[in-house]
Amino acid sequence: KKIAGTAARPRLVVTRAARHVFVQVVDDAKGHTLASASTMEDAMRKAKGTKTELATEVGKLIAQRAKDAGVTEVVFDRGGNRYAGRVAAIAAAAREGGLTL
């Protein structure tokens, strides 16, 4: 099934690699990225903790950046990854940060 975001409810895309996670809020109607966060950022690279703990921090960060961009509701796109571990941690932290998934 294809997941698409709209201007009213953009798509929260989670891309998971072996070491890092990348999260974007994308408006598919316009083809624009509204907010993004990843463990590749300087502040996140210096942070200590497990991969799941860092994913939780990325989830909080994307929630804050999305709210700054005026987004409160998103469609969650896990990118074919299982909803467990880091993917679930990002979703939980985003919900805790104020996003509606």
Side-chain angles (χ1 to χ4, degrees):
K1 182 177 177 181
K2 300 281 183 180
I3 298 174
T6 63
R9 208 171 158 136
R11 185 167 51 113
L12 180 72
V13 185
V14 175
T15 306
R16 187 180 67 87
R19 287 186 178 179
H20 298 284
V21 290
F22 309 90
V23 184
Q24 294 179 321
V25 177
V26 178
D27 179 3
D28 290 320
K30 292 182 182 177
H32 290 285
T33 299
L34 305 174
S36 67
S38 76
T39 54
M40 292 287 289
E41 297 175 9
D42 288 337
M44 294 302 296
R45 280 182 165 266
K46 294 175 184 173
K48 300 292 182 192
T50 64
K51 291 188 282 188
T52 304
E53 290 168 351
L54 293 177
T56 301
E57 294 300 318
V58 169
K60 292 176 185 175
L61 189 60
I62 194 67
Q64 183 61 43
R65 290 180 181 174
K67 286 170 54 178
D68 291 344
V71 176
T72 57
E73 293 185 357
V74 294
V75 177
F76 190 66
D77 181 5
R78 57 188 170 85
N81 297 306
R82 289 179 19 188
Y83 189 83
R86 291 182 280 165
V87 176
I90 289 170
R95 279 189 197 100
E96 184 180 303
L99 287 182
T100 303
L101 302 184

